[in-house]
Amino acid sequence: MTANAPTVPGFTGDAIYPGDRLYDKVRQVFNGMIDKRPQVVLQCRSADDIVAAVRYAVDSGAEIAVRSGGHSVAGHSTTDGGIVIDLSLMREVRVDTEARVAYVDAGANWGDVDRVTSVHGLATPGGVVSTTGVGGFGLGGGIGWLSRAHGMTCDNLIGATLVTASGEVMTVSETENADVLWGLRGGGGNFGVVAQFTLRLHPIDGVVAGVQSYPDTDAEAALKHFRAQMDNAPDHLASILDFSSDFTTGQSLVNVLACSTRTDQVGSDEVSALLNVRGVADKPVVAVQHKLDYSTWQQALDYTAPYGWLNYWKSLFVTELTDEAIRRIALLGRSRPSAQTRLHLIRLGGYASRVPPESTAVVTRQHPYIIHLMTTWTDPAETARCTAWAGQAFEILRPLGPAGAYLNFVGDEGQDRIRATFGEDGYRRLAELKARLDPTNRFTRNHNIEPATS
């Protein structure tokens, strides 16, 4: 701690101020475009530390940011001149095998969770990049490889320990403060700081997974094959169509990724049928398919999202993958502005689409696809060109879907988009919950829900 630094009453974690040896390291977040300097980073080690940090931060009047994995592309995990409540040291994961639940501390990432749960042949839907924090991802909804089979992360959130803006520790479950649990299931970090998550687990005895890559000149054929294969696909089959560049050769590729929670011949055959694109002019550049541990497959895309790259993301749901939609997606996939930029077309549906909309704050479940424009680059001189491409690409795609968004995939895009995401009834209910738990809106570093007024 810096000499003469303020004391945080009751706080036993590490308070890191400008000038401290670790300051520049701990203030960094995933997105290299975000370069902010908080007045202090409070690294918590327990729920009591979170309580002390919240009370101190709320009383200070300074802007508050809460960090779990730091992956918020919008930069919500940090603040200029404010206070960061950093949960990244709290990473314990405990499994109750009989109840099939995991108790996950707020700073854990999906790699931490998967390592512990997979030992027991269990898993819960998490992000496709294992370094992503459970906290922000789960509170924002949570789409991953298991979502078609077992729902979004928020659908599997069955309890939490929440520290509210008043410093109260609230136990939340399906029977206790159930309305708060509803808000945590997709309403983001608006309602306080979650110290621990309770997540439902499912038996996962490995997966059959693979990828086949083709030159992007075959993009239209790959997209049409993808559409045909996934239109009536069973819940156990999950898929992403992805545009990328081979970092070694520079070749631009269209990739089909598939994952089945069935490890028998049925699962293997259906993965093969999805990966083997019909009607292409070229042989696959890459063709890989294996039965493997789920936690291993969860790390397959980690290399695409290292800390420090510059990121500017856009996203939208797609209501129908028409031939015109395919034409636009293929055009944009081939015009990506950097080798690091990827365009993901993720097939939704399955179990997640059948969860009753009123059971979570995530009301948009009917759309079959989501596009994720992961505009990423490494040279700051390319920032204007890459962000301009993302904006233009979004405008080209905008007619394909509704006004709402999957908020984990977007930056700060204003209240209109947040309201469209939750719908008027959902937003009103969230605003009433916000008014009860954070009436003065001290937690604003999020896709913010403004407190309802009388």
Side-chain angles (χ1 to χ4, degrees):
M1 180 184 293
T2 302
N4 301 319
T7 299
V8 180
F11 185 75
T12 63
D14 299 327
I16 300 175
Y17 291 86
D20 286 349
R21 178 176 56 87
L22 294 176
Y23 178 77
D24 282 331
K25 179 180 179 180
V26 302
R27 73 181 181 88
Q28 291 176 356
V29 291
F30 161 76
N31 187 356
M33 285 188 72
I34 310 299
D35 183 24
K36 295 190 174 183
R37 301 184 64 84
Q39 65 172 267
V40 63
V41 177
L42 299 177
Q43 293 193 306
C44 303
R45 296 184 181 274
S46 67
D48 288 342
D49 279 346
I50 295 176
V51 171
V54 166
R55 287 175 174 167
Y56 175 78
V58 168
D59 290 346
S60 74
E63 184 176 66
I64 302 168
V66 181
R67 177 187 305 165
S68 175
H71 270 251
S72 165
V73 74
H76 292 156
S77 308
T78 189
T79 168
D80 255 334
I83 295 173
V84 174
I85 300 175
D86 185 352
L87 311 174
S88 61
L89 300 181
M90 299 176 59
R91 296 174 68 163
E92 184 180 0
V93 178
R94 294 185 295 107
V95 173
D96 182 334
T97 55
E98 289 190 10
R100 287 184 181 168
V101 298
Y103 300 95
V104 180
D105 282 356
N109 63 31
W110 287 109
D112 298 325
V113 174
D114 297 334
R115 275 190 295 274
V116 177
T117 60
S118 64
V119 171
H120 307 285
L122 299 169
T124 196
V128 300
V129 172
S130 72
T131 57
T132 305
V134 172
F137 180 88
L139 294 173
I143 297 170
W145 290 114
L146 299 183
S147 294
R148 283 177 52 84
H150 298 295
M152 300 170 72
T153 303
C154 69
D155 301 332
N156 293 276
L157 177 63
I158 57 174
T161 303
L162 178 70
V163 181
T164 68
S166 66
E168 175 193 358
V169 179
M170 179 179 289
T171 300
V172 179
S173 71
E174 292 175 313
T175 57
E176 189 174 3
N177 296 306
D179 58 335
V180 179
L181 180 63
W182 173 86
L184 296 179
R185 288 172 165 170
N190 273 281
F191 309 112
V193 181
V194 176
Q196 188 178 77
F197 298 86
T198 306
L199 297 170
R200 183 185 297 111
L201 300 175
H202 305 272
I204 301 292
D205 182 24
V207 295
V208 174
V211 58
Q212 285 197 188
S213 303
Y214 302 84
D216 71 0
T217 50
D218 291 321
E220 284 88 347
L223 281 156
K224 289 177 181 178
H225 171 85
F226 185 72
R227 175 180 64 188
Q229 289 291 312
M230 292 305 299
D231 266 355
N232 296 296
D235 291 359
H236 67 81
L237 185 63
S239 59
I240 298 175
L241 187 140
D242 166 58
F243 289 85
S244 70
S245 297
D246 185 310
F247 290 160
T248 303
T249 65
Q251 184 177 17
S252 185
L253 302 172
V254 58
N255 316 289
V256 181
L257 296 89
C259 170
S260 172
T261 54
R262 288 188 64 160
T263 56
D264 59 3
Q265 194 62 45
V266 171
S268 180
D269 289 347
E270 289 184 339
V271 167
S272 296
L274 178 57
L275 296 181
N276 289 291
V277 174
R278 296 191 299 268
V280 294
D282 307 280
K283 292 182 178 180
V285 178
V286 174
V288 178
Q289 180 176 327
H290 295 292
K291 176 183 175 181
L292 67 168
D293 186 80
Y294 167 72
S295 62
T296 301
W297 178 243
Q298 274 285 84
Q299 301 172 53
L301 293 177
D302 284 4
Y303 76 98
T304 69
Y307 255 59
W309 281 4
L310 307 167
N311 287 267
Y312 184 75
W313 296 356
K314 292 283 189 177
S315 180
L316 75 159
F317 293 105
V318 177
T319 54
E320 184 182 0
L321 195 60
T322 62
D323 287 351
E324 175 60 19
I326 284 173
R327 187 189 71 79
R328 295 185 186 202
I329 293 166
L331 170 70
L332 294 172
R334 288 192 284 257
S335 70
R336 292 169 300 106
S338 69
Q340 297 83 13
T341 293
R342 303 180 82 99
L343 187 159
H344 280 179
L345 177 67
I346 303 171
R347 187 55 162 93
L348 303 175
Y351 179 87
S353 67
R354 300 192 297 273
V355 172
E358 65 274 10
S359 66
T360 75
V362 179
V363 296
T364 305
R365 294 180 176 270
Q366 72 275 27
H367 303 302
Y369 294 94
I370 187 170
I371 292 176
H372 187 188
L373 298 168
M374 300 173 63
T375 316
T376 310
W377 63 102
T378 57
D379 182 356
E382 296 295 309
T383 295
R385 186 174 65 86
C386 289
T387 55
W389 178 87
Q392 292 162 3
F394 179 73
E395 291 304 319
I396 290 170
L397 296 171
R398 187 198 289 268
L400 304 182
Y406 172 56
L407 294 176
N408 281 348
F409 284 174
V410 300
D412 286 320
E413 298 188 0
Q415 276 290 307
D416 287 348
R417 197 146 202 228
I418 294 172
R419 287 177 177 271
T421 295
F422 294 115
E424 284 304 314
D425 290 343
Y427 189 93
R428 185 181 306 111
R429 185 175 172 185
L430 288 166
E432 290 169 354
L433 191 60
K434 176 78 167 179
R436 192 175 110 213
L437 300 177
D438 182 18
T440 58
N441 205 7
R442 295 295 286 116
F443 295 110
T444 59
R445 299 292 296 156
N446 44 49
H447 292 293
N448 195 237
I449 306 295
E450 296 174 350
T453 60
S454 57

